[in-house]
Amino acid sequence: MHEIKIANDIAENYRILHDTIKGHIQYEQDLIANFANIASFIYCTLPDVSWVGFYLRKGNELVLGPFMGKPACTRIAIGKGVCGYVAESEEMVVVPNVHEFEGHIACDWDTNSEIVLPLLKDGEFFAVLDLDSASFDRFKQEDVDGLTKIVQSINEYLDTL
Ligand code: SME
């Protein structure tokens, strides 16, 4: 069992979450086990997040990886939807209103905002980390800052595989 600590201050919450994830992946090498626990740590720690998960690059598609939340689309073509866009551009995307993002893939009709970050292994695009919320404009600068740090640590871990 892993304890989930939740702070009221957003930056402090991210600091704890980052430390937890970093500490965890330091002692375990298995990709699926680590991605599964990272998705769970994020989902259980951040408020108002309806889905957290990974899509991994397999050829010219993204294939669903470990996640927390409702069942989701299994395959996304590179270039399609928010995740496919991030896979192609290798840039993080914050979508305050998914209904205004052309080509957004609705896995869950309750989703109203989303943030997707690229993961790199040895400098090459490897996967995306996707967070969804039922609230509009859920993901703010503090989330961008906190998740960017978490992704840096995940990338460092991926480089060791
Ligand atoms: N909305 C994403 C698809 C994945 S689900 O949100 C889990 C997209 O447009 O790429």
Side-chain angles (χ1 to χ4, degrees):
M1 277 296 281
H2 298 284
E3 197 190 341
I4 303 288
K5 294 183 201 134
I6 300 173
N8 288 329
D9 178 73
I10 299 173
E12 175 65 2
N13 210 25
Y14 269 110
R15 197 192 58 71
I16 296 169
L17 179 61
H18 185 203
D19 282 354
T20 305
I21 289 172
K22 238 174 122 173
H24 194 79
I25 59 185
Q26 206 174 318
Y27 297 108
E28 176 55 63
Q29 281 280 101
D30 189 87
L31 181 74
I32 299 297
N34 279 342
F35 275 14
N37 264 333
I38 292 167
S40 180
F41 280 130
I42 296 173
Y43 184 85
C44 293
T45 303
L46 299 184
D48 198 17
V49 169
S50 55
W51 197 93
V52 180
F54 295 90
Y55 280 91
L56 285 79
R57 176 176 213 148
K58 304 240 164 106
N60 56 0
E61 281 183 322
L62 296 172
V63 180
L64 183 64
F67 70 94
M68 292 285 285
K70 288 186 190 166
C73 332
T74 310
R75 289 172 189 270
I76 296 173
I78 304 282
K80 299 285 178 196
V82 185
C83 293
Y85 176 83
V86 170
E88 203 163 52
S89 65
E90 297 182 16
E91 279 169 18
M92 172 184 55
V93 172
V94 180
V95 187
N97 179 352
V98 297
H99 311 287
E100 289 175 355
F101 187 100
E102 210 186 318
H104 169 258
I105 299 164
C107 289
D108 176 357
W109 294 109
D110 292 337
T111 298
N112 285 314
S113 64
E114 180 163 8
I115 182 169
V116 182
L117 301 99
L119 302 184
L120 307 180
K121 173 170 164 45
D122 302 319
E124 303 256 304
F125 174 76
F126 182 78
V128 298
L129 171 62
D130 179 11
L131 281 76
D132 295 351
S133 175
S135 296
F136 288 96
D137 201 15
R138 160 66 183 81
F139 301 102
K140 304 285 198 331
Q141 189 58 45
E142 281 152 316
D143 299 285
V144 168
D145 295 344
L147 291 167
T148 299
K149 284 187 191 141
I150 289 170
V151 160
Q152 277 164 5
S153 291
I154 300 174
N155 288 346
E156 282 167 21
Y157 153 71
L158 291 174
D159 287 349
T160 69
L161 297 183

